[in-house]
Amino acid sequence: MAKLIWGIDPLAVSRLGRTAKKPPFTKKELARIGMCSERQLSRKFKQQMGMTVTAYINEVRLNHARELLLRTDEKITKIALKAGFNDISYFNRAFA
């Protein structure tokens, strides 16, 4: 049986990232789902997943952007915004 993060299976957290229709979900939303504070989420998430919540969210956003780049002809700026990056410069640095 998988270890639980604040009562949620890490695989469920992973599925959330893969299936979220709006990848720009936030730490606040994950804390709400886990019924805990953002601070508790951060601490437990790092312990259980070996990465910060922010790193996880950015990974999900980058994966979503990759999919859009492969499957659409949309402009990079629009894809960055759809993936949850509000700063195109940051998107370029993160994607590189």
Coordinates of all heavy atoms in Angstrom, one line a residue:
M1 N 0.8 -1.2 0.0 CA 0.0 0.0 0.0 C 0.9 1.2 0.0 O 1.9 1.3 0.7 CB -0.9 0.0 1.2 CG -1.9 1.1 1.3 SD -3.0 0.8 2.6 CE -3.8 2.4 2.6
A2 N 0.5 2.2 -0.8 CA 1.3 3.4 -0.9 C 1.1 4.3 0.3 O 0.1 4.2 1.0 CB 0.8 4.2 -2.1
K3 N 2.2 5.0 0.6 CA 2.1 6.0 1.7 C 1.1 7.1 1.4 O 1.0 7.4 0.2 CB 3.5 6.7 2.0 CG 4.5 5.8 2.5 CD 5.8 6.6 2.7 CE 6.9 5.7 3.2 NZ 8.1 6.5 3.4
L4 N 0.4 7.5 2.4 CA -0.6 8.6 2.2 C 0.0 9.9 2.5 O 0.8 10.1 3.4 CB -1.8 8.3 3.0 CG -2.6 7.0 2.8 CD1 -3.8 6.9 3.7 CD2 -3.0 6.9 1.3
I5 N -0.3 10.9 1.7 CA 0.0 12.3 2.0 C -1.2 12.9 2.5 O -2.2 13.0 1.8 CB 0.5 13.0 0.7 CG1 1.6 12.3 0.0 CG2 0.8 14.5 1.0 CD1 2.0 12.9 -1.3
W6 N -1.2 13.4 3.7 CA -2.3 14.1 4.4 C -3.6 13.3 4.1 O -4.6 13.9 3.9 CB -2.3 15.6 4.1 CG -2.7 15.9 2.7 CD1 -4.0 16.3 2.3 CD2 -2.0 15.9 1.5 NE1 -4.0 16.5 0.9 CE2 -2.8 16.3 0.4 CE3 -0.6 15.7 1.2 CZ2 -2.3 16.4 -0.9 CZ3 -0.2 15.8 -0.1 CH2 -1.0 16.2 -1.1
G7 N -3.5 12.0 4.0 CA -4.7 11.2 3.7 C -5.0 10.9 2.3 O -6.0 10.3 2.0
I8 N -4.2 11.4 1.4 CA -4.4 11.1 -0.1 C -3.2 10.3 -0.6 O -2.1 10.6 -0.4 CB -4.6 12.5 -0.8 CG1 -5.8 13.2 -0.4 CG2 -4.6 12.2 -2.3 CD1 -6.0 14.5 -1.0
D9 N -3.5 9.3 -1.4 CA -2.5 8.5 -2.0 C -1.7 9.3 -3.0 O -2.3 10.1 -3.8 CB -3.3 7.4 -2.8 CG -2.3 6.4 -3.4 OD1 -1.3 6.8 -3.9 OD2 -2.7 5.2 -3.4
P10 N -0.4 9.2 -3.0 CA 0.4 10.0 -3.9 C 0.1 9.8 -5.4 O 0.2 10.6 -6.2 CB 1.9 9.5 -3.6 CG 1.8 8.9 -2.3 CD 0.4 8.4 -2.1
L11 N -0.4 8.6 -5.7 CA -0.8 8.3 -7.1 C -2.0 9.1 -7.4 O -2.2 9.5 -8.6 CB -1.1 6.8 -7.2 CG 0.1 5.9 -7.1 CD1 -0.4 4.4 -7.2 CD2 1.1 6.2 -8.1
A12 N -2.9 9.4 -6.5 CA -4.0 10.3 -6.7 C -3.5 11.7 -7.0 O -4.1 12.4 -7.9 CB -5.0 10.3 -5.5
V13 N -2.5 12.1 -6.3 CA -2.0 13.5 -6.6 C -1.4 13.5 -8.0 O -1.6 14.4 -8.7 CB -0.9 13.8 -5.5 CG1 -0.2 15.1 -5.9 CG2 -1.5 13.9 -4.1
S14 N -0.7 12.4 -8.3 CA -0.1 12.3 -9.7 C -1.2 12.4 -10.8 O -1.0 13.0 -11.8 CB 0.7 11.1 -9.8 OG 1.3 10.9 -11.0
R15 N -2.2 11.6 -10.5 CA -3.4 11.6 -11.5 C -4.0 13.0 -11.6 O -4.4 13.3 -12.7 CB -4.4 10.5 -11.1 CG -4.0 9.1 -11.5 CD -5.2 8.2 -11.3 NE -5.7 8.1 -9.9 CZ -5.2 7.3 -9.0 NH1 -4.2 6.5 -9.3 NH2 -5.7 7.3 -7.8
L16 N -4.1 13.7 -10.5 CA -4.6 15.0 -10.6 C -3.9 15.9 -11.6 O -4.4 16.5 -12.4 CB -4.6 15.7 -9.2 CG -4.9 17.2 -9.2 CD1 -6.3 17.5 -9.5 CD2 -4.5 17.8 -7.8
G17 N -2.5 15.8 -11.5 CA -1.7 16.5 -12.4 C -1.9 16.1 -13.9 O -1.9 17.0 -14.8
R18 N -2.1 14.8 -14.1 CA -2.2 14.4 -15.5 C -3.6 14.6 -16.1 O -3.7 14.8 -17.3 CB -1.9 12.9 -15.5 CG -0.4 12.5 -15.4 CD -0.1 11.1 -15.8 NE -1.0 10.1 -15.2 CZ -0.8 9.6 -14.1 NH1 0.3 9.8 -13.4 NH2 -1.6 8.7 -13.6
T19 N -4.6 14.6 -15.2 CA -5.9 14.7 -15.7 C -6.6 16.1 -15.5 O -7.7 16.3 -16.0 CB -6.9 13.7 -15.1 OG1 -6.9 13.9 -13.7 CG2 -6.3 12.3 -15.4
A20 N -5.9 17.0 -14.8 CA -6.5 18.3 -14.6 C -6.8 19.0 -15.9 O -5.9 19.1 -16.8 CB -5.6 19.1 -13.7
K21 N -8.0 19.5 -16.1 CA -8.3 20.2 -17.3 C -7.7 21.6 -17.3 O -7.4 22.1 -18.4 CB -9.9 20.3 -17.4 CG -10.5 19.0 -17.6 CD -11.8 19.1 -18.4 CE -12.6 17.9 -18.5 NZ -12.2 16.8 -19.2
K22 N -7.5 22.1 -16.1 CA -6.8 23.4 -16.0 C -5.5 23.2 -15.2 O -5.5 23.4 -14.0 CB -7.7 24.4 -15.3 CG -8.7 25.1 -16.2 CD -9.4 26.2 -15.4 CE -8.8 27.5 -15.7 NZ -9.5 28.6 -14.9
P23 N -4.4 22.9 -15.8 CA -3.2 22.6 -15.1 C -2.7 23.8 -14.2 O -2.0 23.5 -13.3 CB -2.2 22.4 -16.2 CG -3.0 21.9 -17.3 CD -4.3 22.6 -17.2
P24 N -3.2 25.0 -14.4 CA -2.7 26.0 -13.5 C -3.3 25.9 -12.1 O -3.6 26.9 -11.5 CB -3.1 27.3 -14.2 CG -3.6 27.0 -15.5 CD -3.8 25.6 -15.6
F25 N -3.5 24.7 -11.6 CA -4.0 24.6 -10.2 C -2.9 25.1 -9.3 O -1.7 25.1 -9.7 CB -4.4 23.1 -9.9 CG -3.3 22.1 -10.1 CD1 -2.5 21.8 -9.1 CD2 -3.2 21.4 -11.3 CE1 -1.5 20.8 -9.2 CE2 -2.3 20.4 -11.4 CZ -1.4 20.1 -10.4
T26 N -3.3 25.4 -8.1 CA -2.4 26.1 -7.2 C -2.2 25.2 -5.9 O -2.9 24.3 -5.7 CB -2.9 27.4 -6.7 OG1 -4.2 27.2 -6.0 CG2 -3.2 28.3 -7.9
K27 N -1.2 25.7 -5.1 CA -0.9 25.0 -3.9 C -2.2 25.1 -3.0 O -2.5 24.2 -2.3 CB 0.3 25.7 -3.2 CG 0.7 25.0 -1.9 CD 1.7 25.8 -1.1 CE 3.0 25.9 -1.8 NZ 4.1 26.5 -1.0
K28 N -2.8 26.3 -3.1 CA -4.0 26.5 -2.3 C -5.1 25.4 -2.6 O -5.7 24.9 -1.8 CB -4.6 27.9 -2.5 CG -5.7 28.3 -1.7 CD -6.1 29.7 -1.9 CE -7.2 30.2 -1.0 NZ -7.5 31.6 -1.1
E29 N -5.3 25.2 -3.9 CA -6.2 24.2 -4.4 C -5.9 22.8 -3.9 O -6.7 22.0 -3.5 CB -6.4 24.2 -5.9 CG -7.1 25.4 -6.4 CD -7.0 25.5 -7.9 OE1 -6.0 25.9 -8.5 OE2 -8.1 25.1 -8.5
L30 N -4.6 22.4 -4.0 CA -4.1 21.1 -3.5 C -4.4 21.0 -2.0 O -4.8 19.9 -1.5 CB -2.7 20.9 -3.8 CG -2.3 20.6 -5.3 CD1 -0.8 20.5 -5.5 CD2 -3.1 19.4 -5.8
A31 N -4.1 22.1 -1.2 CA -4.3 22.0 0.2 C -5.8 21.8 0.5 O -6.2 21.1 1.4 CB -3.8 23.3 0.8
R32 N -6.7 22.5 -0.3 CA -8.1 22.3 -0.1 C -8.5 20.9 -0.3 O -9.3 20.3 0.4 CB -8.9 23.3 -1.0 CG -10.4 23.2 -0.8 CD -11.1 24.1 -1.9 NE -10.8 23.7 -3.3 CZ -11.2 22.7 -3.9 NH1 -12.0 21.8 -3.3 NH2 -10.8 22.5 -5.2
I33 N -8.0 20.3 -1.4 CA -8.3 18.9 -1.7 C -7.9 18.0 -0.6 O -8.6 17.0 -0.2 CB -7.7 18.5 -3.1 CG1 -8.4 19.2 -4.2 CG2 -7.7 17.0 -3.3 CD1 -7.6 19.1 -5.5
G34 N -6.7 18.3 -0.1 CA -6.1 17.5 1.0 C -6.7 17.8 2.4 O -6.3 17.2 3.4
M35 N -7.5 18.8 2.4 CA -8.1 19.3 3.7 C -7.0 19.6 4.8 O -7.0 19.1 5.9 CB -9.1 18.3 4.2 CG -10.3 18.2 3.3 SD -11.6 17.0 3.8 CE -10.8 15.5 3.9
C36 N -6.1 20.4 4.4 CA -5.0 20.8 5.3 C -4.5 22.2 4.9 O -4.9 22.8 3.9 CB -3.8 19.8 5.2 SG -3.0 19.8 3.6
S37 N -3.7 22.7 5.7 CA -3.1 24.1 5.5 C -2.0 24.0 4.4 O -1.5 22.9 4.1 CB -2.5 24.7 6.7 OG -1.3 24.0 7.1
E38 N -1.8 25.1 3.7 CA -0.7 25.1 2.7 C 0.6 24.7 3.3 O 1.4 24.0 2.7 CB -0.6 26.5 2.0 CG -1.8 26.7 1.1 CD -1.7 28.1 0.4 OE1 -0.6 28.4 -0.2 OE2 -2.7 28.8 0.5
R39 N 0.9 25.2 4.5 CA 2.2 24.9 5.2 C 2.3 23.4 5.5 O 3.3 22.8 5.2 CB 2.2 25.7 6.5 CG 3.5 25.5 7.2 CD 3.5 26.3 8.5 NE 4.6 25.9 9.3 CZ 5.6 26.7 9.7 NH1 5.5 27.9 9.4 NH2 6.6 26.2 10.5
Q40 N 1.2 22.8 6.0 CA 1.2 21.3 6.2 C 1.4 20.6 4.9 O 2.1 19.6 4.8 CB -0.1 20.9 7.0 CG -0.1 19.5 7.3 CD -1.4 19.1 8.1 OE1 -2.4 19.8 8.1 NE2 -1.4 17.9 8.7
L41 N 0.7 21.0 3.9 CA 0.8 20.4 2.6 C 2.2 20.4 2.1 O 2.8 19.4 1.7 CB -0.1 21.1 1.6 CG 0.1 20.7 0.1 CD1 -0.3 19.3 -0.2 CD2 -0.5 21.7 -0.8
S42 N 2.9 21.6 2.2 CA 4.2 21.7 1.8 C 5.2 20.8 2.5 O 6.0 20.1 1.9 CB 4.7 23.2 2.0 OG 4.0 24.0 1.1
R43 N 5.0 20.7 3.8 CA 5.9 19.8 4.6 C 5.7 18.4 4.3 O 6.6 17.6 4.0 CB 5.6 20.1 6.1 CG 6.6 19.5 7.0 CD 6.5 19.9 8.5 NE 5.1 19.5 9.0 CZ 4.2 20.4 9.3 NH1 4.4 21.7 9.1 NH2 3.0 20.0 9.7
K44 N 4.4 17.9 4.2 CA 4.1 16.5 4.0 C 4.4 16.1 2.5 O 4.9 15.0 2.3 CB 2.6 16.2 4.3 CG 2.3 16.3 5.7 CD 2.9 15.2 6.5 CE 2.4 15.2 7.9 NZ 2.9 14.2 8.7
F45 N 4.2 17.0 1.6 CA 4.4 16.7 0.2 C 5.9 16.5 0.0 O 6.3 15.5 -0.7 CB 3.9 17.9 -0.6 CG 3.7 17.6 -2.1 CD1 2.5 17.2 -2.6 CD2 4.8 17.6 -3.0 CE1 2.3 16.9 -3.9 CE2 4.6 17.3 -4.3 CZ 3.4 17.0 -4.8
K46 N 6.7 17.4 0.5 CA 8.2 17.2 0.4 C 8.7 15.9 1.0 O 9.5 15.2 0.4 CB 8.9 18.4 1.0 CG 10.4 18.4 1.1 CD 10.9 18.8 -0.3 CE 12.4 18.9 -0.1 NZ 13.1 19.3 -1.3
Q47 N 8.1 15.6 2.2 CA 8.5 14.3 2.8 C 8.2 13.1 2.0 O 8.9 12.2 1.8 CB 7.8 14.2 4.2 CG 8.4 15.1 5.3 CD 7.5 15.0 6.5 OE1 6.5 14.4 6.6 NE2 8.0 15.7 7.6
Q48 N 6.9 13.1 1.5 CA 6.4 11.9 0.8 C 6.8 11.9 -0.7 O 7.1 10.8 -1.2 CB 4.9 11.9 0.9 CG 4.4 11.8 2.3 CD 4.7 10.5 2.9 OE1 4.7 9.4 2.3 NE2 4.9 10.5 4.2
M49 N 6.9 13.0 -1.4 CA 7.1 13.0 -2.8 C 8.5 13.3 -3.2 O 8.9 13.1 -4.3 CB 6.1 14.0 -3.5 CG 4.7 13.7 -3.3 SD 4.1 12.2 -4.1 CE 4.0 12.6 -5.8
G50 N 9.3 13.9 -2.2 CA 10.7 14.2 -2.5 C 10.9 15.4 -3.4 O 11.9 15.6 -4.0
M51 N 9.8 16.2 -3.5 CA 9.9 17.5 -4.3 C 8.9 18.5 -3.6 O 8.0 18.1 -2.9 CB 9.6 17.3 -5.7 CG 8.2 16.9 -6.0 SD 7.8 16.4 -7.7 CE 8.8 17.2 -8.8
T52 N 9.2 19.7 -3.9 CA 8.3 20.7 -3.3 C 7.0 20.8 -4.1 O 6.9 20.3 -5.3 CB 8.9 22.1 -3.4 OG1 9.1 22.5 -4.7 CG2 10.2 22.2 -2.6
V53 N 6.0 21.3 -3.5 CA 4.7 21.5 -4.2 C 4.9 22.4 -5.5 O 4.4 22.0 -6.6 CB 3.6 22.1 -3.3 CG1 2.3 22.3 -4.1 CG2 3.3 21.1 -2.1
T54 N 5.6 23.4 -5.3 CA 5.9 24.3 -6.4 C 6.6 23.6 -7.6 O 6.2 23.8 -8.8 CB 6.7 25.5 -6.0 OG1 6.0 26.2 -4.9 CG2 7.0 26.5 -7.1
A55 N 7.6 22.8 -7.3 CA 8.3 22.0 -8.3 C 7.3 21.1 -9.0 O 7.4 20.9 -10.2 CB 9.5 21.3 -7.7
Y56 N 6.4 20.5 -8.2 CA 5.5 19.5 -8.8 C 4.5 20.3 -9.8 O 4.3 19.8 -10.9 CB 4.7 18.8 -7.7 CG 3.6 18.0 -8.3 CD1 3.8 16.8 -8.9 CD2 2.2 18.4 -8.2 CE1 2.8 16.0 -9.4 CE2 1.2 17.7 -8.7 CZ 1.5 16.5 -9.3 OH 0.4 15.7 -9.8
I57 N 4.0 21.4 -9.3 CA 3.1 22.2 -10.1 C 3.7 22.6 -11.4 O 3.2 22.5 -12.5 CB 2.5 23.4 -9.3 CG1 1.5 22.8 -8.2 CG2 1.8 24.3 -10.2 CD1 1.1 23.9 -7.2
N58 N 5.0 23.1 -11.3 CA 5.7 23.5 -12.5 C 6.0 22.3 -13.4 O 5.9 22.5 -14.7 CB 7.0 24.2 -12.1 CG 6.9 25.6 -11.7 OD1 5.9 26.3 -12.1 ND2 7.8 26.1 -10.9
E59 N 6.2 21.2 -12.9 CA 6.4 20.0 -13.7 C 5.1 19.6 -14.5 O 5.2 19.4 -15.7 CB 6.9 18.8 -12.9 CG 7.2 17.6 -13.6 CD 7.7 16.5 -12.7 OE1 8.7 16.6 -12.0 OE2 7.0 15.4 -12.7
V60 N 4.0 19.7 -13.8 CA 2.7 19.5 -14.4 C 2.5 20.5 -15.5 O 2.0 20.1 -16.6 CB 1.6 19.5 -13.4 CG1 0.2 19.4 -14.1 CG2 1.7 18.3 -12.5
R61 N 2.7 21.7 -15.2 CA 2.5 22.8 -16.2 C 3.4 22.6 -17.5 O 2.9 22.8 -18.6 CB 2.8 24.2 -15.6 CG 1.7 24.6 -14.6 CD 2.1 25.8 -13.9 NE 1.0 26.3 -13.0 CZ 1.1 27.3 -12.2 NH1 2.3 28.0 -12.1 NH2 0.1 27.6 -11.4
L62 N 4.7 22.3 -17.2 CA 5.6 22.0 -18.3 C 5.2 20.8 -19.2 O 5.2 20.9 -20.4 CB 7.0 21.9 -17.8 CG 7.7 23.2 -17.3 CD1 9.0 22.8 -16.6 CD2 7.9 24.1 -18.5
N63 N 4.7 19.8 -18.5 CA 4.3 18.6 -19.3 C 3.0 19.0 -20.1 O 2.9 18.5 -21.2 CB 3.9 17.4 -18.3 CG 5.2 16.8 -17.8 OD1 6.3 16.9 -18.4 ND2 5.1 16.2 -16.6
H64 N 2.1 19.7 -19.6 CA 1.0 20.2 -20.3 C 1.4 21.0 -21.5 O 0.9 20.8 -22.6 CB 0.0 21.0 -19.4 CG -1.3 21.3 -20.0 ND1 -2.2 20.4 -20.5 CD2 -1.8 22.6 -20.3 CE1 -3.2 21.0 -21.0 NE2 -3.0 22.4 -20.9
A65 N 2.3 21.9 -21.3 CA 2.8 22.8 -22.4 C 3.5 21.9 -23.5 O 3.2 22.1 -24.7 CB 3.8 23.8 -21.9
R66 N 4.2 20.9 -23.1 CA 4.8 20.0 -24.1 C 3.8 19.3 -25.0 O 3.9 19.2 -26.2 CB 5.7 18.9 -23.4 CG 7.0 19.3 -23.0 CD 7.8 18.1 -22.4 NE 9.0 18.7 -21.7 CZ 9.0 18.9 -20.4 NH1 8.0 18.6 -19.6 NH2 10.1 19.4 -19.9
E67 N 2.7 18.8 -24.3 CA 1.6 18.2 -25.0 C 1.0 19.1 -26.0 O 0.7 18.8 -27.2 CB 0.6 17.6 -24.1 CG 1.0 16.4 -23.3 CD 1.3 15.2 -24.2 OE1 0.5 15.0 -25.1 OE2 2.3 14.5 -24.0
L68 N 0.7 20.4 -25.6 CA 0.1 21.3 -26.5 C 1.1 21.7 -27.6 O 0.6 21.9 -28.7 CB -0.2 22.6 -25.7 CG -1.4 22.4 -24.7 CD1 -1.5 23.7 -23.8 CD2 -2.7 22.1 -25.4
L69 N 2.3 21.8 -27.4 CA 3.3 22.1 -28.4 C 3.3 21.0 -29.5 O 3.4 21.2 -30.7 CB 4.7 22.3 -27.9 CG 4.9 23.6 -27.1 CD1 6.2 23.6 -26.3 CD2 5.0 24.8 -28.1
L70 N 3.2 19.8 -29.0 CA 3.2 18.6 -29.9 C 1.9 18.4 -30.7 O 1.9 18.0 -31.9 CB 3.5 17.3 -29.2 CG 4.9 17.2 -28.6 CD1 5.0 16.0 -27.7 CD2 5.9 17.1 -29.7
R71 N 0.8 18.8 -30.1 CA -0.5 18.5 -30.7 C -1.2 19.7 -31.3 O -2.3 19.5 -31.9 CB -1.4 17.8 -29.6 CG -0.9 16.4 -29.2 CD -2.0 15.7 -28.5 NE -1.9 16.0 -27.1 CZ -2.9 16.1 -26.3 NH1 -4.1 15.9 -26.7 NH2 -2.7 16.4 -25.0
T72 N -0.7 20.9 -31.1 CA -1.4 22.0 -31.7 C -0.5 22.9 -32.5 O 0.7 22.7 -32.4 CB -2.1 22.9 -30.6 OG1 -1.0 23.5 -29.8 CG2 -2.9 22.1 -29.6
D73 N -1.1 23.8 -33.2 CA -0.3 24.8 -33.9 C -0.4 26.2 -33.3 O -0.1 27.2 -33.9 CB -0.8 24.9 -35.4 CG -0.5 23.6 -36.2 OD1 0.5 23.0 -35.9 OD2 -1.3 23.3 -37.1
E74 N -0.8 26.2 -32.0 CA -0.9 27.5 -31.3 C 0.4 28.1 -31.1 O 1.5 27.5 -31.0 CB -1.6 27.2 -30.0 CG -3.1 26.8 -30.1 CD -3.8 26.7 -28.8 OE1 -3.9 27.7 -28.1 OE2 -4.3 25.6 -28.5
K75 N 0.4 29.4 -30.9 CA 1.6 30.2 -30.6 C 2.1 29.8 -29.2 O 1.3 29.5 -28.3 CB 1.3 31.7 -30.7 CG 0.9 32.1 -32.1 CD 1.4 33.4 -32.5 CE 0.9 33.8 -33.9 NZ 1.9 33.6 -34.9
I76 N 3.4 29.9 -29.1 CA 4.1 29.5 -27.8 C 3.5 30.4 -26.6 O 3.3 29.9 -25.6 CB 5.6 29.6 -27.9 CG1 6.1 28.6 -28.9 CG2 6.2 29.5 -26.5 CD1 7.6 28.6 -29.2
T77 N 3.3 31.7 -26.9 CA 2.8 32.5 -25.8 C 1.4 32.0 -25.3 O 1.2 32.0 -24.1 CB 2.7 34.0 -26.3 OG1 3.9 34.4 -26.8 CG2 2.1 34.9 -25.2
K78 N 0.6 31.7 -26.3 CA -0.8 31.2 -25.9 C -0.7 29.8 -25.1 O -1.4 29.6 -24.2 CB -1.6 31.0 -27.2 CG -3.1 30.7 -26.8 CD -3.9 30.8 -28.1 CE -5.4 30.6 -27.7 NZ -6.3 30.7 -28.9
I79 N 0.2 29.0 -25.6 CA 0.4 27.7 -24.9 C 0.9 27.9 -23.5 O 0.5 27.3 -22.5 CB 1.4 26.8 -25.7 CG1 0.6 26.3 -26.9 CG2 1.9 25.6 -24.9 CD1 1.5 25.5 -27.9
A80 N 1.9 28.8 -23.3 CA 2.4 29.1 -22.0 C 1.3 29.6 -21.1 O 1.2 29.2 -19.9 CB 3.5 30.2 -22.1
L81 N 0.4 30.5 -21.6 CA -0.7 31.0 -20.8 C -1.6 29.8 -20.4 O -2.1 29.7 -19.3 CB -1.4 32.1 -21.5 CG -0.6 33.4 -21.6 CD1 -1.3 34.4 -22.5 CD2 -0.3 34.0 -20.2
K82 N -2.0 29.0 -21.4 CA -2.9 27.9 -21.1 C -2.3 26.9 -20.1 O -3.0 26.3 -19.4 CB -3.1 27.1 -22.4 CG -4.2 27.7 -23.3 CD -4.5 26.8 -24.5 CE -5.6 27.3 -25.3 NZ -6.0 26.3 -26.3
A83 N -1.0 26.8 -20.1 CA -0.3 25.9 -19.1 C -0.2 26.5 -17.8 O 0.2 25.8 -16.8 CB 1.0 25.4 -19.7
G84 N -0.5 27.7 -17.6 CA -0.5 28.4 -16.3 C 0.7 29.3 -16.1 O 0.9 29.7 -14.9
F85 N 1.5 29.5 -17.1 CA 2.6 30.5 -16.9 C 2.2 31.8 -17.4 O 1.9 32.1 -18.5 CB 3.8 30.0 -17.8 CG 4.4 28.7 -17.3 CD1 4.0 27.5 -17.8 CD2 5.4 28.7 -16.4 CE1 4.6 26.3 -17.4 CE2 6.0 27.6 -15.9 CZ 5.6 26.3 -16.4
N86 N 2.2 32.8 -16.4 CA 1.7 34.1 -16.7 C 2.9 35.0 -17.2 O 2.7 36.1 -17.7 CB 1.1 34.8 -15.5 CG -0.2 34.0 -15.2 OD1 -0.9 33.6 -16.0 ND2 -0.4 33.8 -13.9
D87 N 4.1 34.5 -17.1 CA 5.3 35.3 -17.5 C 6.0 34.5 -18.5 O 6.6 33.4 -18.2 CB 6.2 35.5 -16.2 CG 7.4 36.3 -16.5 OD1 7.8 36.4 -17.7 OD2 8.1 36.7 -15.5
I88 N 6.0 34.9 -19.8 CA 6.6 34.2 -20.9 C 8.1 34.0 -20.7 O 8.7 33.0 -21.0 CB 6.3 34.8 -22.2 CG1 6.7 33.9 -23.4 CG2 7.0 36.2 -22.4 CD1 5.8 32.7 -23.5
S89 N 8.8 35.0 -20.0 CA 10.2 34.9 -19.8 C 10.5 33.7 -18.8 O 11.4 32.9 -19.0 CB 10.8 36.2 -19.2 OG 10.7 37.2 -20.1
Y90 N 9.6 33.6 -17.8 CA 9.8 32.5 -16.8 C 9.5 31.2 -17.5 O 10.2 30.2 -17.3 CB 8.9 32.7 -15.6 CG 9.0 31.6 -14.6 CD1 10.1 31.4 -13.9 CD2 8.0 30.6 -14.5 CE1 10.3 30.4 -13.0 CE2 8.1 29.5 -13.6 CZ 9.3 29.4 -12.9 OH 9.4 28.4 -12.0
F91 N 8.5 31.1 -18.4 CA 8.2 29.9 -19.1 C 9.4 29.5 -20.0 O 9.8 28.3 -20.0 CB 7.0 30.1 -20.0 CG 6.7 29.0 -21.0 CD1 6.2 27.8 -20.5 CD2 7.0 29.1 -22.3 CE1 5.9 26.8 -21.4 CE2 6.8 28.1 -23.2 CZ 6.2 26.9 -22.7
N92 N 10.0 30.5 -20.7 CA 11.2 30.1 -21.5 C 12.3 29.6 -20.7 O 13.0 28.6 -21.1 CB 11.6 31.4 -22.3 CG 10.7 31.8 -23.3 OD1 10.0 30.9 -23.9 ND2 10.7 33.1 -23.7
R93 N 12.6 30.2 -19.5 CA 13.7 29.7 -18.6 C 13.3 28.3 -18.1 O 14.2 27.4 -18.0 CB 13.9 30.6 -17.5 CG 14.6 31.9 -17.9 CD 15.1 32.7 -16.7 NE 14.0 33.0 -15.7 CZ 13.2 34.0 -15.7 NH1 13.3 34.9 -16.7 NH2 12.3 34.2 -14.8
A94 N 12.1 28.1 -17.7 CA 11.7 26.8 -17.1 C 11.7 25.7 -18.1 O 12.0 24.6 -17.9 CB 10.3 26.9 -16.5
F95 N 11.3 26.1 -19.4 CA 11.2 25.1 -20.4 C 12.5 24.7 -21.0 O 12.7 23.6 -21.5 CB 10.3 25.6 -21.5 CG 9.7 24.5 -22.4 CD1 8.6 23.8 -22.0 CD2 10.3 24.1 -23.6 CE1 8.0 22.8 -22.7 CE2 9.7 23.1 -24.4 CZ 8.6 22.5 -23.9
A96 N 13.5 25.6 -20.9 CA 14.8 25.3 -21.5 C 15.6 24.2 -20.8 O 15.4 23.7 -19.8 CB 15.7 26.6 -21.4

